[in-house]
């Protein structure tokens, strides 16, 4: 048995370059997707899996759909000009993303059977090519980072409420070996290094560029240039480069001291309302959604701010990016927020206009309608800066965004 084991490892290693060489040989125009879902949605008469083509702009394009069989199976045939990124959407409850340079197979969980349903990331491993494993690992890292972040936020929340302050004191004072965000960044950077010359890394470049000049932005643009030269068929590289440039230009319009963009969104009664009505007041604009746990946890704190400063010329507006109006109305009723509630009529357009991919994202606006601060995630630091700005009564320079809260499913 020992001899067999010793021989099997080298044979497996020798096979890997041949497989990789085949995957690098050229453009793949036809492939098959086979999969199954463990749980279907009992509320739907027909359960469908949707095939979406990712265009890296935040709004994937629907390509095909398939009715799930009685055994939970589904399949697709893909005809394409070249390989790219696709996502399987199982009845809008579960997702799996893959690189289309070879046939793939996936077992998905499907419908959330838990008593309390939450649309948080569920990990689905897609069995496919060597390049496809880049997406498998990147998605796993992202999902683990998100769940760890939620766990840490919840832990801190309940630690503060505990009668025994030892727990919270330990969390506050104990130096972690690494913040969760830094852990995530480190794993992503090693993964990117391992696949740096492969076209599939375009999956991560869309997120690493950001809108600020710096090492990550410059590195992203260099990687895109290399992809454009090495893989001229990868049209998404050129498109993504332009998207990054456009996003950066939009972000410059959202710097401290710039006027808040003029927008109009429907309120709970469907009437269009804008932010100009609050001129003369300090305003906190909170982008949120009913399904966002950290957003809901922040609401009591925002209520405290509103109660403390509303008589001093301060107000709040919440803008939801919900796509389910019923869920939005229910959340508003449950949270009972005593300020104006608006609903984005185009989630992707709103996220692009205000340059966020995670919620809650908050903007503090001065009396003249100019941006004072932007916060990605609600934290004690963000709250302190809001209070300081309100007490100081004048515009303040931009500060580095506080703890990020990624949006599930984006």
């Amino acid at each position: 048995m020992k001899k067999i084991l010793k021989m099997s490892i080298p044979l497996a290693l020798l096979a890997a370059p041949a497989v990789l060489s085949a995957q690098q040989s050229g453009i793949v125009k036809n492939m098959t997707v086979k999969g199954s879902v463990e749980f279907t949605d009992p509320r739907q008469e027909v359960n469908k899996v949707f095939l979406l083509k990712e265009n890296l702009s935040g709004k994937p394009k629907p390509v095909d759909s398939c009715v799930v069989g009685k055994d939970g199976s589904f399949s697709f045939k893909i005809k394409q000009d070249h390989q790219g990124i696709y996502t399987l959407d199982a009845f809008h409850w579960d997702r799996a993303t893959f690189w289309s340079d070879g046939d793939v197979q996936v077992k998905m969980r499907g419908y959330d059977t838990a008593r309390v349903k939450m649309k948080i990331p569920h990990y689905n491993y897609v069995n496919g090519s060597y390049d496809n494993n880049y997406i498998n690992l990147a998605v796993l890292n992202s999902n683990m980072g998100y769940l760890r972040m939620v766990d840490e936020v919840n832990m801190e929340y309940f630690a503060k409420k505990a009668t025994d302050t030892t727990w919270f004191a330990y969390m506050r004072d104990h130096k972690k070996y690494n913040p969760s965000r830094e852990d995530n960044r480190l794993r992503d950077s090693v993964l990117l290094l391992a696949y740096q010359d492969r076209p599939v890394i375009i999956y991560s470049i869309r997120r690493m560029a950001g809108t600020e000049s710096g090492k990550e932005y410059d590195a992203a643009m260099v990687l895109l240039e290399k992809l454009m030269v090495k893989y001229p068929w990868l049209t998404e590289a050129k498109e993504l480069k332009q998207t990054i440039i456009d996003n950066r230009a939009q972000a410059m319009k959202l710097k401290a001291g710039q006027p808040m963009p003029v927008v109009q969104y429907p309120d709970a009664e469907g009437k269009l309302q804008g932010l100009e009505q609050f001129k003369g007041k300090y305003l906190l604009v909170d982008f949120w959604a009913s399904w966002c746990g950290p957003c809901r946890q922040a609401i009591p704190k925002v209520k405290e701010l509103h109660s403390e400063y509303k008589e001093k010329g301060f107000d709040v507006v919440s803008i939801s990016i919900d796509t389910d109006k019923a869920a939005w109305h229910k959340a508003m009723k449950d949270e009972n927020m005593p300020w104006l509630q608006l609903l984005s009529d185009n989630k992707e357009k709103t996220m692009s206009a205000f340059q966020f991919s995670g919620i809650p994202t908050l903007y503090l606006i001065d009396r003249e309608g100019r941006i004072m601060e932007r916060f990605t995630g609600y934290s004690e630091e963000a709250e302190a800066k809001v209070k300081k700005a309100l007490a100081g009564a004048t515009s303040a320079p931009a500060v580095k965004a506080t703890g990020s809260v990624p949006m599930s499913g984006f």
Side-chain angles (χ1 to χ4, degrees):
M1 179 63 71
K2 287 184 179 179
K3 289 183 178 180
I4 294 175
L5 287 173
K6 286 181 180 180
M7 290 177 65
S8 64
I9 295 174
L11 285 172
L13 292 174
L14 286 170
V19 173
L20 180 56
S21 177
Q23 292 163 356
Q24 292 177 345
S25 61
I27 296 173
V28 177
K29 293 191 174 183
N30 297 281
M31 62 166 292
T32 300
V33 179
K34 292 185 178 181
S36 63
V37 289
E38 186 175 3
F39 302 106
T40 54
D41 187 345
R43 305 168 306 170
Q44 299 181 17
E45 291 185 13
V46 177
N47 280 267
K48 286 187 175 182
V49 173
F50 302 89
L51 179 67
L52 312 172
K53 176 70 182 295
E54 299 287 348
N55 56 16
L56 307 178
S57 68
K59 189 174 183 180
K61 178 184 177 182
V63 174
D64 201 353
S65 65
C66 174
V67 176
V68 175
K70 291 182 179 180
D71 60 350
S73 65
F74 62 87
S75 65
F76 293 98
K77 294 283 188 181
I78 294 179
K79 293 183 178 181
Q80 57 189 3
D81 294 328
H82 60 268
Q83 49 264 46
I85 303 167
Y86 288 82
T87 293
L88 295 167
D89 179 343
F91 14 97
H92 308 309
W93 275 102
D94 198 9
R95 289 188 161 217
T97 301
F98 61 90
W99 181 250
S100 63
D101 67 339
D103 295 346
V104 299
Q105 290 184 320
V106 58
K107 291 183 178 180
M108 303 176 69
R109 187 177 192 279
Y111 181 66
D112 185 355
T113 57
R115 183 175 60 85
V116 179
K117 295 173 173 54
M118 293 181 65
K119 289 191 177 181
I120 60 175
H122 174 77
Y123 183 69
N124 292 300
Y125 177 83
V126 181
N127 193 349
S129 69
Y130 169 86
D131 277 6
N132 182 71
N133 279 335
Y134 178 85
I135 294 181
N136 277 329
L137 294 168
V139 171
L140 178 62
N141 189 37
S142 176
N143 286 10
M144 289 174 66
Y146 178 84
L147 293 173
R148 180 180 167 189
M149 179 276 301
V150 171
D151 192 41
E152 288 180 351
V153 169
N154 287 336
M155 191 179 298
E156 184 176 346
Y157 173 77
F158 287 107
K160 287 179 181 178
K161 294 180 66 175
T163 54
D164 182 359
T165 58
T166 305
W167 183 16
F168 178 64
Y170 174 81
M171 291 184 63
R172 181 191 60 204
D173 301 331
H174 178 69
K175 182 175 176 58
K176 297 182 177 67
Y177 81 96
N178 246 353
S180 58
R181 178 188 282 187
E182 181 60 21
D183 266 1
N184 237 48
R185 188 205 64 78
L186 181 60
R187 286 192 291 264
D188 273 341
S189 65
V190 172
L191 184 57
L192 193 63
L193 186 62
Y195 281 79
Q196 60 184 311
D197 64 340
R198 304 300 303 140
V200 70
I201 64 171
I202 197 168
Y203 176 81
S204 293
I205 295 176
R206 60 178 179 168
R207 292 177 297 174
M208 68 178 282
T211 55
E212 298 288 338
S213 295
K215 290 182 179 179
E216 283 201 337
Y217 183 91
D218 293 342
M221 299 306 273
V222 169
L223 285 172
L224 280 175
E225 291 290 346
K226 288 182 177 179
L227 290 182
M228 290 162 62
V229 172
K230 189 169 184 178
Y231 305 101
W233 49 263
L234 189 64
T235 54
E236 290 87 348
K238 184 177 180 181
E239 293 166 0
L240 180 57
K241 181 181 178 181
Q242 189 58 51
T243 297
I244 291 171
I245 292 171
D246 292 344
N247 285 343
R248 186 181 186 187
Q250 179 63 22
M252 296 302 105
K253 299 176 184 178
L254 299 171
K255 292 286 188 180
Q258 295 296 315
M260 187 69 167
V262 176
V263 294
Q264 281 197 323
Y265 296 115
D267 61 18
E269 283 71 46
K271 179 183 177 182
L272 288 176
Q273 299 209 47
L275 305 179
E276 67 281 350
Q277 61 187 289
F278 296 97
K279 195 167 184 179
K281 289 185 174 183
Y282 289 96
L283 181 67
L284 187 66
V285 182
D286 178 14
F287 292 95
W288 74 297
S290 63
W291 44 260
C292 170
C295 300
R296 304 285 289 262
Q297 288 184 7
I299 290 172
K301 286 295 188 181
V302 178
K303 279 185 178 180
E304 291 177 10
L305 278 177
H306 184 257
S307 178
E308 183 176 352
Y309 291 98
K310 66 180 179 180
E311 301 300 329
K312 302 175 184 178
F314 172 70
D315 215 330
V316 179
V317 172
S318 290
I319 301 177
S320 171
I321 59 170
D322 272 289
T323 53
D324 184 337
K325 285 188 179 180
W328 176 54
H329 279 279
K330 183 178 186 303
M332 284 192 294
K333 182 179 179 181
D334 292 344
E335 299 294 350
N336 191 29
M337 294 170 277
W339 53 77
L340 181 62
Q341 303 291 318
L342 302 177
L343 177 66
S344 167
D345 51 3
N346 187 318
K347 180 179 75 173
E348 287 78 19
K349 187 176 179 180
T350 296
M351 292 172 67
S352 176
F354 290 94
Q355 289 295 292
F356 65 88
S357 59
I359 50 176
T361 290
L362 306 98
Y363 281 89
L364 182 62
I365 314 302
D366 70 13
R367 296 181 189 273
E368 300 302 318
R370 297 188 299 264
I371 296 169
M372 297 177 68
E373 301 267 7
R374 166 189 162 127
F375 306 104
T376 304
Y378 193 90
S379 64
E380 287 185 347
E381 183 184 0
E383 183 177 297
K385 286 176 180 175
V386 171
K387 289 183 176 181
K388 182 178 180 181
L390 293 175
T394 57
S395 296
V399 295
K400 187 177 180 180
T402 54
S404 174
V405 182
M407 183 173 68
S408 175
F410 181 72

